Amino acid sequence: MTTDVPRRRADARRNEEALLDAAAAAFVAVGVEAPVRDIAVRAGVGVGTVYRHFPTRADLVVAVYRHQVEACVEAGPTCRAETASPYDALVRWIDGFVDFLVTKHGLAGALHGDGSRFEALHAYFLERLVPVCDELLSAAAAAGEVRDDLSGYELMRGVGGLCAGAEDDERYDARRLVAVLLAGLRAGSPGSPRR
Amino acid sequence: MTTDVPRRRADARRNEEALLDAAAAAFVAVGVEAPVRDIAVRAGVGVGTVYRHFPTRADLVVAVYRHQVEACVEAGPTCRAETASPYDALVRWIDGFVDFLVTKHGLAGALHGDGSRFEALHAYFLERLVPVCDELLSAAAAAGEVRDDLSGYELMRGVGGLCAGAEDDERYDARRLVAVLLAGLRAGSPGSPRR
DNA sequence: TTGCTAGGCGGAACAAGGTTCCGTATCGTC
DNA sequence: GACGATACGGAACCTTGTTCCGCCTAGCAA
């Protein structure tokens, strides 16, 4: 038995699981802004327990979305491999990212927002996703398919901004705006026709 | 004496003035998220007084920025008149709008955010600015200079999204992203070269 | 100048959200 | 079965927006 991680108590593991489930459910129902108390109640647990498992509200959010973020990370190389042009790969990847943002009620807003409240979440997203985006973006730039004066960070932040608060507003189609942005990306490339 | 507005008491007028000044100062110093209590203190006034003059925090924000918004409204026709192509007029107007958003600490975020907290502000912006944007946009679309499947509302919301939280982040240049978006707008127009 | 009163003022109090703390309960081992 | 480490619950605290109400005073009339 080389489990050098000091095995946690059964109830602790059980509660963490319950919390993740409850939080996921709450986020779907109410959005990422769901109050900690509500999540605790859903999980049949006290608030103190929430904070033992997740130092901060944002950490809980990160935990809930972590595997989805990882999926997004892995989608990068996949898009790259399965698509002929680097630009199309980028578009496809961004599309998946938008899916993620728009699907999750209020995620983009939370990510974007004032920044202070979801710092941990924001930091995690950046850390994982920006390199992927950078990769796709510079490949497309190298191929002369898009302008090269934009960083992956900027692009992601822009897309995030366009998606923030997009759910529950039928007058606004975030996906269409993102498409326009991506078109603009291409438009500015050295080789693209101007005027 | 045909002042049919029932003249308000001197102290009331004085306080409203003080509040507007204090709020403006607070917004510059701390951002639009400045707490009502702080603003009240700055103005040397009780919170109750704040709420008598401005039913809601957001109404205070609106009042502070009202004349700047109006300037933006008036800039619409001006840009239209002083610019040869409708597209350039649009670009120029949006540029002014971005100025406004980026200059004011956190305004874009407040406007954009979840929408619930700054409803009055949001509503006011929409009411005043969307028609102007619609005008410029449809003129450009009519001239075949930009795609015509986007509403002024969508464009403004998009621009707002791109600008949210742009101050205090030197890795992100909102203005550049907006430029990309506008380029994308043009790229998608019927007459524009594709491929 | 003095009095009166409607309109205005201050700030305590309430609601809602995140976070902390600590007495108590439980798990897992001896 | 006993005991110590671990985890739990939820009351309590902080911050923010908002409401409420008793007190005050500007402005008018006598």
Side-chain angles (χ1 to χ4, degrees):
Chain A
M1 188 68 51
T2 46
T3 346
D4 50 345
V5 278
R7 221 171 96 251
R8 291 154 65 218
R9 264 168 55 169
D11 54 350
R13 267 173 297 146
R14 207 185 320 130
N15 277 327
E16 178 164 337
E17 199 61 35
L19 271 171
L20 285 171
D21 288 352
F27 294 165
V28 167
V30 190
V32 237
E33 312 268 1
V36 173
R37 281 172 182 74
D38 291 1
I39 296 171
V41 169
R42 271 176 193 264
V45 132
V47 265
T49 300
V50 177
Y51 281 90
R52 180 148 340 83
H53 289 285
F54 307 97
T56 266
R57 203 183 163 295
D59 293 304
L60 174 56
V61 181
V62 168
V64 167
Y65 290 125
R66 174 161 276 147
H67 70 285
Q68 303 204 39
V69 173
E70 293 311 316
C72 217
V73 169
E74 282 157 29
T78 307
C79 290
R80 192 79 190 70
E82 293 179 358
T83 315
S85 103
Y87 175 75
D88 289 341
L90 178 64
V91 168
R92 191 165 140 191
W93 185 74
I94 292 279
D95 195 57
F97 179 53
V98 171
D99 259 349
F100 176 42
L101 289 180
V102 167
T103 295
K104 312 307 159 204
H105 190 168
L107 223 206
L111 232 50
H112 197 71
D114 50 10
S116 67
R117 225 162 71 208
F118 287 89
E119 245 170 88
L121 179 59
H122 195 240
Y124 179 68
F125 266 67
L126 258 44
E127 182 190 324
R128 299 296 291 153
L129 262 23
V130 164
V132 179
C133 188
D134 259 332
E135 174 71 31
L136 291 165
L137 191 58
S138 50
E145 294 187 327
V146 302
R147 55 194 292 168
D148 60 358
D149 64 340
L150 222 62
S151 67
Y153 173 72
E154 285 184 297
L155 180 55
M156 291 206 53
R157 210 156 164 330
V159 171
L162 291 177
C163 292
E167 68 295 349
D168 69 359
D169 184 350
E170 70 291 339
R171 285 183 298 170
Y172 181 72
D173 182 352
R175 220 171 276 274
R176 196 190 301 157
L177 267 287
V178 171
V180 173
L181 187 71
L182 290 173
L185 212 59
R186 164 162 266 181
S189 74
S192 76
R194 301 303 299 267
R195 284 297 96 126
Chain B
M1 183 73 48
T2 44
T3 345
D4 49 348
V5 277
R7 220 170 95 251
R8 290 155 66 219
R9 268 170 51 168
D11 55 349
R13 265 174 297 145
R14 207 184 320 128
N15 278 328
E16 177 163 338
E17 200 61 34
L19 271 171
L20 285 172
D21 287 352
F27 293 165
V28 167
V30 191
V32 237
E33 312 267 1
V36 173
R37 279 172 184 73
D38 291 0
I39 296 171
V41 170
R42 270 175 193 264
V45 132
V47 266
T49 300
V50 178
Y51 280 92
R52 178 147 344 83
H53 289 284
F54 307 97
T56 266
R57 205 185 161 294
D59 293 305
L60 175 56
V61 182
V62 168
V64 168
Y65 290 126
R66 173 161 279 148
H67 70 285
Q68 302 204 39
V69 174
E70 293 311 317
C72 217
V73 169
E74 281 156 30
T78 306
C79 291
R80 192 78 189 71
E82 293 179 359
T83 315
S85 101
Y87 174 76
D88 289 340
L90 178 65
V91 168
R92 192 164 140 191
W93 184 75
I94 292 279
D95 195 56
F97 179 53
V98 171
D99 258 348
F100 176 41
L101 289 180
V102 167
T103 295
K104 311 306 158 205
H105 189 167
L107 222 207
L111 232 53
H112 196 73
D114 49 10
S116 66
R117 221 156 80 201
F118 288 89
E119 245 170 88
L121 179 58
H122 196 240
Y124 179 68
F125 266 68
L126 258 44
E127 181 191 323
R128 301 295 292 152
L129 263 24
V130 165
V132 179
C133 188
D134 259 332
E135 175 71 29
L136 291 166
L137 191 57
S138 49
E145 295 187 328
V146 303
R147 55 194 292 169
D148 61 357
D149 63 340
L150 222 62
S151 67
Y153 173 73
E154 283 184 299
L155 179 54
M156 293 208 51
R157 207 152 167 332
V159 171
L162 291 177
C163 292
E167 67 299 348
D168 69 359
D169 185 350
E170 70 290 341
R171 286 183 298 170
Y172 180 73
D173 181 353
R175 221 172 277 274
R176 197 190 301 157
L177 266 289
V178 171
V180 174
L181 187 70
L182 290 173
L185 213 57
R186 163 163 267 180
S189 74
S192 78
R194 301 304 298 267
R195 277 306 95 125

